Amino acid sequence: MKKLLMTCLLVVVLSCKNNSEEKTTAISQQEFTPEMKESISRGAQLYNNFCASCHLSSGEGIQGVFPPLQNSDWLVEKRKESIHAVKFGLRGPIEVNGVEYDNLMPQLGLSDREVADVMNYINNAWGNNVREPVTEEEVAAIKK
């Protein structure tokens, strides 16, 4: 009887947690225009295909090797540099969340639209909250 009661309590707690998470997600999703939602969706697919192998599926990276994108001060404070890194790759030291990284990020060969989509995804995932969309025109203006 005690096991049954604990199981029921656990189910109730988990269902309440899931409902509140769904509402939070739905509210934040409502803040985006349909175009931004599409860009983020395309960016998520691109991220999984090109970026997740190093930065991992939840953006936490590997400390000292591949910088985190999750709650990343570098993404927020260095918008142009972030776009440049996705567009052209990155070589040389950078500091992210107080940790230095000095590894090679290869150029991925993405189009300007794909770079914008990936940036819109990572700028609004894993605790990042950069609501200003990265546009294809903004990416095109970034030169090597």
Side-chain angles (χ1 to χ4, degrees):
M1 181 68 166
K2 189 175 180 181
K3 267 187 174 177
L4 180 60
L5 183 58
M6 290 301 288
T7 303
C8 289
L9 181 62
L10 182 61
V11 168
V12 169
V13 168
L14 290 176
S15 70
C16 288
K17 182 179 178 190
N18 287 341
N19 287 339
S20 68
E21 287 174 357
E22 287 171 13
K23 288 177 186 172
T24 303
T25 301
I27 291 168
S28 67
Q29 288 296 314
Q30 289 175 3
E31 295 174 11
F32 295 123
T33 65
E35 295 82 11
M36 183 65 161
K37 287 179 184 179
E38 289 174 19
S39 177
I40 289 171
S41 178
R42 289 188 306 265
Q45 291 176 340
L46 290 162
Y47 180 86
N48 287 328
N49 290 336
F50 291 95
C51 313
S53 58
C54 294
H55 295 284
L56 306 181
S57 62
S58 58
E60 71 267 23
I62 299 172
Q63 189 161 355
V65 183
F66 301 116
L69 302 175
Q70 180 183 83
N71 294 309
S72 172
D73 63 351
W74 203 76
L75 285 173
V76 174
E77 297 167 11
K78 298 186 179 284
R79 182 178 176 103
K80 287 183 180 180
E81 293 90 336
S82 297
I83 295 168
H84 189 278
V86 174
K87 184 173 181 176
F88 297 112
L90 180 67
R91 179 180 302 235
I94 62 170
E95 186 176 306
V96 180
N97 299 341
V99 178
E100 187 171 306
Y101 295 86
D102 190 5
N103 208 338
L104 173 68
M105 178 176 154
Q107 184 172 353
L108 302 172
L110 300 176
S111 70
D112 289 346
R113 177 181 158 184
E114 290 171 326
V115 171
D117 291 343
V118 168
M119 289 300 302
N120 287 326
Y121 172 66
I122 64 177
N123 279 343
N124 292 286
W126 320 301
N128 299 320
N129 189 18
V130 181
R131 294 294 184 208
E132 183 184 342
V134 174
T135 65
E136 190 173 342
E137 295 76 20
E138 182 180 8
V139 174
I142 302 288
K143 303 298 179 196
K144 202 166 191 173

